[in-house]
Amino acid sequence: QVRSDTTVYNERNAVLEQATSIDNLLASTTTGLTPAMSSFFQAFQGGADDPTSIPQRQLLLTQSEGLAARFHSLDSRLNSQMQNINLELVSAVSSINSLAQSLAELNSSISVAIGAGQGDIPNQLFDTRDETLRQLSELVSVSTFSEGQGGQINVFIGNGQPLVLGNSAATLATVENPSDSSRQEVALIINGVSNIVSDELSGGRVGGLFEFRDNELTEAINGLGRIAIVLSDSVNEQHALGMDLESNLGGLFFRDINETSLAQSRVISNSQNLGPYDQSIQINITNSQALTIDSYEMVFEGPSANDFNIIRSQDSEIVLSSTLPGIFPASVSVDGFEVQFDAGTFKIGDRFTINPTKTGASDISVA
């Protein structure tokens, strides 16, 4: 019961610490987005009230630059928090490996002591092992099973991943997420082969960090990006309808949200895809109002190499099933964006991560 409660406490505490950091950043009257947005719209109102005033127009440009800089700053801070979580995971995995080795050695010592003591119980070793298990439960959920008369136990973490079997300890490592190199995952190394088990780990500080990263933090980054994209798109659309001081139609006010480099950056090829790596894909925003804060995975699952599904990552729901026509360019639309296939060889097993809004806050700039 102590181990179980320790696991729950450390999981929730990890989420609270990380969430407090985001809350302090976004809700602040100095560092948050709201003050910069208010100043921007006030400057726009001033420009509308006196459109021939050069100082008023300059103020609007200054406030627009300030708003873009605020988006960049917030996005940088949120992504820094993602990197801090990566570092914490590396530290936690190192601690888990150390504790696992200690448990394996304690198992061996207990077995020897029971055999040599002719039935006497090595209580001090048992107490040390219990304390080691408690320390392990601070990092991840733990379950144990007795191995029989020798006093040894097998230790499993998360949803049943074997960590200690008798006097043998497994090794964990952190590896890059194959669909997003900015995220570290936890892998179980068996016979030299790494198997990512992040989704199987729960509880403790590690479980809390994963829960926060994959939910609150990802939603904050994507949500901030969506605000930037909708703002850019809406202002650009209205600005193009007006006229400048020389009676020319207004062009872009903010950077074009479908600029080729931006559109291409919204899709990432999975690092486990097989060559040739000649695919050219871009994600164009077709209706910014319909965008969600979700990420998606495009999977070529067959039966032919041209058949693919687009799966929403948050709930694993297939939002679109389609087939490439074999003639490029080709496109499909879903949830306010368009997947445009320009060229390349697509194969069964290929996977691509689609992030329509993730980089929106870092991409915004005044045109």
Side-chain angles (χ1 to χ4, degrees):
Q1 185 64 47
V2 168
R3 286 201 297 267
S4 176
D5 290 347
T6 299
T7 292
V8 172
Y9 170 78
N10 281 276
E11 178 186 36
R12 304 321 303 162
N13 194 51
V15 173
L16 175 62
E17 287 177 7
Q18 299 292 331
T20 299
S21 178
I22 277 192
D23 189 52
N24 291 339
L25 175 66
L26 298 180
S28 169
T29 56
T30 55
T31 63
L33 184 62
T34 300
M37 290 278 278
S38 297
S39 297
F40 169 73
F41 283 115
Q42 287 171 8
F44 242 125
Q45 186 62 56
D49 291 341
D50 189 3
T52 61
S53 169
I54 300 300
Q56 197 65 52
R57 298 167 79 90
Q58 188 57 53
L59 176 62
L60 171 57
L61 291 174
T62 300
Q63 295 294 354
S64 301
E65 295 281 4
L67 177 60
R70 183 63 55 86
F71 272 113
H72 298 165
S73 173
L74 290 172
D75 183 73
S76 176
R77 290 280 298 276
L78 291 175
N79 279 285
S80 291
Q81 193 161 354
M82 183 77 74
Q83 297 309 311
N84 289 338
I85 288 176
N86 286 340
L87 293 175
E88 286 206 44
L89 287 172
V90 170
S91 175
V93 164
S94 177
S95 297
I96 290 173
N97 285 335
S98 177
L99 292 169
Q101 190 60 44
S102 296
L103 287 168
E105 292 170 359
L106 284 164
N107 268 344
S108 181
S109 298
I110 287 170
S111 180
V112 170
I114 288 178
Q118 298 179 338
D120 291 339
I121 304 300
N123 289 315
Q124 186 173 354
L125 290 174
F126 277 119
D127 288 346
T128 301
R129 188 173 68 183
D130 281 344
E131 171 59 16
T132 305
L133 286 167
R134 189 200 63 77
Q135 293 175 19
L136 181 62
S137 70
E138 292 180 355
L139 299 169
V140 68
S141 61
V142 177
S143 56
T144 62
F145 297 93
S146 174
E147 217 183 34
Q149 300 300 316
Q152 296 189 350
I153 57 171
N154 295 330
V155 181
F156 300 85
I157 58 175
N159 297 335
Q161 302 304 310
L163 183 67
V164 179
L165 299 177
N167 58 4
S168 176
T171 302
L172 297 179
T174 51
V175 298
E176 286 186 357
N177 184 311
S179 63
D180 184 352
S181 60
S182 69
R183 297 173 182 235
Q184 290 288 312
E185 303 294 346
V186 175
L188 184 65
I189 300 177
I190 300 176
N191 297 325
V193 178
S194 295
N195 297 290
I196 294 178
V197 294
S198 298
D199 290 343
E200 305 300 321
L201 299 182
S202 59
R205 186 158 189 83
V206 170
L209 290 173
F210 278 135
E211 179 184 335
F212 174 80
R213 183 195 72 180
D214 295 340
N215 294 288
E216 287 85 356
L217 183 55
T218 296
E219 290 173 5
I221 292 173
N222 290 352
L224 185 70
R226 181 174 65 173
I227 293 173
I229 288 174
V230 173
L231 177 73
S232 297
D233 189 36
S234 302
V235 171
N236 281 347
E237 182 179 350
Q238 188 63 33
H239 190 258
L241 301 176
M243 305 187 83
D244 66 14
L245 286 179
E246 284 77 41
S247 298
N248 300 311
L249 284 174
L252 294 171
F253 188 87
F254 288 111
R255 186 181 187 183
D256 183 4
I257 60 172
N258 287 324
E259 187 178 300
T260 301
S261 61
L262 303 186
Q264 291 176 342
S265 71
R266 296 178 184 133
V267 58
I268 304 171
S269 175
N270 192 293
S271 64
Q272 296 178 344
N273 288 354
L274 301 177
Y277 307 106
D278 58 353
Q279 302 89 357
S280 177
I281 310 171
Q282 60 186 56
I283 307 300
N284 300 312
I285 307 301
T286 54
N287 180 4
S288 62
Q289 309 292 328
L291 290 173
T292 71
I293 59 172
D294 294 314
S295 296
Y296 303 79
E297 186 169 39
M298 182 166 61
V299 185
F300 285 78
E301 295 180 303
S304 81
N306 291 326
D307 296 310
F308 65 92
N309 293 323
I310 296 179
I311 303 168
R312 189 164 50 222
S313 300
Q314 270 57 29
D315 56 12
S316 299
E317 181 179 337
I318 296 175
V319 295
L320 179 74
S321 294
S322 188
T323 302
L324 287 176
I327 301 173
F328 296 115
S331 64
V332 294
S333 297
V334 60
D335 288 354
F337 64 88
E338 170 192 78
V339 183
Q340 178 179 317
F341 302 89
D342 292 320
T345 308
F346 296 90
K347 309 166 295 300
I348 294 177
D350 279 352
R351 308 176 84 90
F352 300 86
T353 300
I354 297 172
N355 297 309
T357 64
K358 181 181 178 181
T359 62
S362 63
D363 293 338
I364 188 173
S365 63
V366 178

